[in-house]
Structures are given as structure tokens and as C-alpha cells.
Amino acid sequence: MSHALSVVKVGGSLVADRARLCRLLGALADGTEGPVVIVPGGGGLADAVRAAQGALGFPDPLAHRLALDAMAGMARIFAALEPRLEVTQDPAQALGAGAVPVWDPSALKAGRPEIPETWDVTSDSLALWLAARLGAGTCLLVKSADARLGAGPAELARTGLVDAALPGFAARFPGRIVLRGPGGDRLCRAALAECAA
């Protein structure tokens, strides 16, 4: 595991605060969090998919794939706001080339047995999935709301601050999980190795 690497999920809800979003993307490009892979939330683009599904009743697997397209669109928007970021489907390769990658999850549209194609899985769980695949030491979830001090993955899911599948994905990720809201960082779980020590 590369303890230095962090996967940073930037919530699409931050679009409502352009100044905060741009400051955050600039800081990540500057390397203030060390080496990072940015996972974009779907934001209003994913909300449009939800609304269309509600109106038209198409199945969850299609909605899931369209939400992945929404994340890919937000990745391109983030790169337009901060040109030092590189949109890529292969963040490991981009990191190796010295870039600051923003993940385009489009390859997941082919399906993965460990990723349910429902609204229970959003960019929160996908960030943990990617962090586990990359061997990251930390998964940082940047949100527009604060978590209660000491809240763990299950409580965050119960309160709706993260998606319903996140506790299961958290169980498969051995690193630290941190939620950052406007009030600062909240450690949601220490690295499992630290917990066992």
C-alpha cells in the first residue's frame, strides 16, 4: 500500500460553492495533500439522471451507467476549472507520469461483479473501491456538509451523508477514511492496521 497516496472524492454538491471548489482543486493540483487521485461526484448531472429515471422508469443498471457518464462529465468540468488536472481512465498510469489525475470511471460501464448497479453505489463507494485498487493509504470524501464527530461509515450511511453501500466498501478498504466538510476533517475510520495494533 502506498500510504502517501490519497484518493480524494470531490462531491458534486460543491459546484454550488464555486470559490471553495476552485480553491480545493487548485490545492490538490499544488500537491498540498501529497499525491492524489481525484474522484468527481456526479453533482447536478447525476441529479438529472435521477429525475429522468423517476419520470421515465428506466431500470437501475441503465441509471448507474448514466451516472458514471455524469461523473465523467464532472471530471472534464474539474479539469476545465483547474487545467493542471488530467482526466484519465487509468489514474495509476497518470500518477506514474507525474500528473494529478481526475478519474473518468467510464470503463466501469462494462460492469464489475463487486459493484452493484443501483443508486446504493455512488461516487462515495466508487472512491473507496478505487482507493482499494490503487493501494491508497487514505480515502478523503469532500462534502458540502459536516459529519458528526466520531461518526463511522455505518452512521454516515444511515444519516444519508454517504451512499448506502459505503459501509461494505469501507470494510474492504484497509486505509483511513476521512470526511471533510466546511468545518474541517472528521476521521471516520483509522487504517485497519492501526486499529489492530
Side-chain angles (χ1 to χ4, degrees), residues 119-173:
W119 285 110
D120 286 350
V121 174
T122 69
S123 53
D124 294 328
S125 286
L126 293 178
L128 278 170
W129 177 85
L130 183 64
R133 281 184 64 86
L134 295 175
T138 300
C139 185
L140 171 61
L141 306 174
V142 183
K143 298 280 190 172
S144 58
D146 287 313
R148 185 185 67 76
L149 279 173
E155 181 179 337
L156 294 173
R158 270 195 310 276
T159 60
L161 203 51
V162 299
D163 65 55
L166 187 125
F169 282 87
R172 295 187 292 276
F173 173 61

Side-chain angles (χ1 to χ4, degrees), residues 56-155:
L56 302 172
F58 51 83
D60 277 353
L62 175 57
H64 176 81
R65 292 189 292 276
L66 292 172
L68 292 172
D69 287 334
M71 289 174 64
M74 288 303 297
R76 283 158 181 76
I77 291 168
F78 287 0
L81 293 172
E82 176 47 74
R84 293 176 291 169
L85 303 178
E86 180 179 313
V87 178
T88 179
Q89 291 185 24
D90 188 348
Q93 182 181 46
L95 283 168
V100 180
V102 183
W103 184 45
D104 172 347
S106 295
L108 297 182
K109 291 193 299 184
R112 303 286 297 207
E114 70 276 22
I115 301 175
E117 293 184 326
T118 72
W119 285 110
D120 286 350
V121 174
T122 69
S123 53
D124 294 328
S125 286
L126 293 178
L128 278 170
W129 177 85
L130 183 64
R133 281 184 64 86
L134 295 175
T138 300
C139 185
L140 171 61
L141 306 174
V142 183
K143 298 280 190 172
S144 58
D146 287 313
R148 185 185 67 76
L149 279 173
E155 181 179 337

Side-chain angles (χ1 to χ4, degrees), residues 7-10 25 28 36-40 78 85 100-103:
V7 168
V8 181
K9 184 267 182 161
V10 178
L25 295 176
L28 294 172
V36 298
V37 173
I38 300 168
V39 173
F78 287 0
L85 303 178
V100 180
V102 183
W103 184 45

